[in-house]
Amino acid sequence: MRVLIVEDEPNLGQQLKNTLEGAGYAIDLATDGEEGHFLGSTENYDAIVLDLGLPEIDGLTVLDRWRKEGKVMPVLVLTARDSWSDKVAGLDAGADDYVAKPFQTEELIARLRALIRRASGNASSELTAGDVRLDTRSGKVTRAGEPVKLTAQEYKLLSYLLHHKGKVVSRTELIEHIYDQDFDRDSNTIEVFVTRIRKKLGQDVITTIRGLGYSLEDPDA
């Protein structure tokens, strides 16, 4: 899953980036409202963490512009401590949730997971397809109850397909959502990761739709 962080405090921004990357997310970081608005308008994100107190363009204006542009990605706003007016303003502008500063990163990650699940129509923190299970809280993957070790990129790819189970996902979409903006998008690594996941979870777990992309479905669907 790919997440944009828009935060002007250097230490906090880098801390969030490192923490979320450690949790398996591909992260882009913007340090002002102008850059944040541009990235949110031109790139595809599964969620955005948006500070309201930004230079250049404030966070509420950035959020309002995204929504007027038709951008529907989940947005988690960071508000000032005990500022109920910021929370109300953020939600009214189109935010999906908020966290007040200072906050525990575990709470922020949990709220992000929930936003991404709901956006893709998944209520449970455990994603399944047949006997394959992925626990978004622990990051553990099992097949028929047996643990399966995946690399970070294999996990990201499987997680994205499970979040979009039953849909055909193109190679381009996968690249846009499991890598940050600096990745070489001409790479053929998606095919490599799919092959490796099939070796670990079974050849039938991911279906190739020729000319369109990949699909992951329940075996009895």
Side-chain angles (χ1 to χ4, degrees):
M1 295 293 156
R2 189 177 175 198
V3 175
L4 171 65
I5 299 170
V6 190
E7 171 57 63
D8 66 310
E9 295 181 30
N11 291 339
L12 178 58
Q14 193 60 49
Q15 178 189 355
L16 286 174
K17 184 176 188 293
N18 294 341
T19 300
L20 290 174
E21 285 178 339
Y25 295 93
I27 302 297
D28 292 332
L29 176 60
T31 56
D32 61 60
E34 186 173 356
E35 181 186 15
H37 172 254
F38 175 77
L39 288 175
S41 298
T42 58
E43 299 287 339
N44 292 312
Y45 294 102
D46 296 288
I48 294 178
V49 178
L50 175 69
D51 187 19
L52 295 186
L54 295 169
E56 304 297 337
I57 307 173
D58 68 88
L60 285 177
T61 300
V62 170
L63 179 55
D64 184 62
R65 289 182 182 179
W66 283 335
R67 294 315 189 208
K68 287 180 178 177
E69 292 165 358
K71 299 296 181 180
V72 298
M73 64 281 182
V75 175
L76 175 68
V77 297
L78 304 180
T79 69
R81 184 179 183 182
D82 297 329
S83 177
W84 63 267
S85 59
D86 280 352
K87 299 170 187 176
V88 171
L91 293 172
D92 283 345
D96 298 274
D97 200 355
Y98 65 84
V99 172
K101 294 181 179 180
F103 52 83
Q104 296 294 323
T105 53
E106 292 83 358
E107 178 187 2
L108 184 142
I109 292 173
R111 289 180 180 273
L112 267 182
R113 282 198 303 260
L115 288 179
I116 292 171
R117 287 199 311 269
R118 289 200 295 268
S120 59
N122 295 287
S124 173
S125 61
E126 197 171 66
L127 307 177
T128 65
D131 60 1
V132 174
R133 294 180 178 273
L134 183 151
D135 189 328
T136 60
R137 295 167 300 183
S138 66
K140 293 180 179 178
V141 176
T142 62
R143 180 164 195 183
E146 295 297 319
V148 178
K149 291 185 178 181
L150 299 180
T151 67
Q153 298 301 347
E154 291 165 4
Y155 176 89
K156 290 177 184 179
L157 192 151
L158 178 65
S159 175
Y160 191 84
L161 290 176
L162 281 169
H163 274 89
H164 299 83
K165 185 171 66 175
K167 300 176 182 178
V168 178
V169 180
S170 70
R171 176 180 174 275
T172 299
E173 182 177 345
L174 285 169
I175 290 173
E176 288 177 342
H177 285 270
I178 70 174
Y179 294 110
D180 60 42
Q181 66 182 132
D182 296 325
F183 179 74
D184 176 9
R185 298 188 178 188
D186 293 326
S187 170
N188 67 348
T189 52
I190 295 298
E191 289 81 0
V192 174
F193 292 144
V194 168
T195 299
R196 282 162 36 178
I197 291 171
R198 284 172 173 158
K199 288 181 179 179
K200 295 178 180 182
L201 296 176
Q203 293 298 317
D204 58 343
V205 68
I206 298 175
T207 302
T208 299
I209 311 299
R210 189 171 298 277
L212 296 176
Y214 302 97
S215 179
L216 191 153
E217 301 183 15
D218 283 312
D220 55 354

